[in-house]
Amino acid sequence: MARRSKEDAQATRDSLLEAARKLFQQYGFKETTVSQIVAEAGITKGALFHYFKTKDALFREIWVTLQMEMDEEARKAAADASDPCDPYAAFLAGCETYLRWAMRPDYQRIVLVDGLSVLGLTGWYEADNHLGRNNVRSGISYLAKCGVIPEARIPALTVLVHNALNGAGLALARGEPGLSADDIIKAFEMILRSLRDAPPGRS
């Protein structure tokens, strides 16, 4: 009996997250009400607040879930593209996955647009840095391990590359004229492949 109660509780929570994610994507965080969410999920407001104290808390979990889903796909793409003859290949594949996700309606609206307003600029960057910057650092560290760049450059390059990806993602989400995911991916590859050890006489 206890097991069934736990399963029912998980099913209710999953339905809630699915409904909220659909509505946040379609209408945005501000325009989506708690009443709409519970109606879509087929639960009561009391049930919603049993799992999440606020609508903001519910949003944050969906934001994190989308980030984790993107990260999982990016890691798989990187693993599949790994090439001993090309140290850049795996990292580029992971970055391309992120940029493709930046064009997805759910990721655009929830993570890149509403995420900034709901989490706040500082909160958004702190949450994103926890996952995104660590992944970029892993990619840059691999390039250093391959001898492409010096280890001393890892921290600075991590910050620069991570912020370049975020900036590109936000630009795609805003639909800036003259930009496409393909164009940005090609330009990003040019930048990434130019990351090499400085020639003698330069620091």
Side-chain angles (χ1 to χ4, degrees), residues 57-115:
L58 172 59
F59 177 90
R60 183 182 179 87
E61 174 140 347
I62 293 169
W63 189 93
V64 171
T65 298
L66 275 164
Q67 289 282 59
M68 295 298 291
E69 289 174 358
M70 181 277 295
D71 179 64
E72 182 178 354
E73 188 172 314
R75 286 176 181 272
K76 184 179 184 306
D80 291 345
S82 182
D83 183 350
C85 298
D86 184 0
Y88 298 93
F91 191 25
L92 279 167
C95 293
E96 179 175 347
T97 297
Y98 164 74
L99 292 170
R100 297 290 183 197
W101 271 64
M103 297 295 292
R104 281 181 39 157
D106 56 348
Y107 194 86
Q108 271 193 4
R109 186 64 179 262
I110 296 171
V111 174
L112 298 176
V113 177
D114 284 350

Side-chain angles (χ1 to χ4, degrees), residues 91 95 125 128-144 149-167 188 192 195:
F91 191 25
C95 293
Y125 273 106
D128 182 64
N129 282 347
H130 180 69
L131 181 64
R133 184 177 289 189
N134 284 339
N135 288 343
V136 171
R137 185 182 181 89
S138 294
I140 298 295
S141 296
Y142 179 73
L143 294 180
I149 60 172
E151 289 190 9
R153 302 292 189 214
I154 293 174
L157 287 173
T158 295
V159 171
L160 291 171
V161 172
H162 180 231
N163 281 285
L165 285 168
N166 275 340
F188 182 77
L192 189 66
L195 299 182

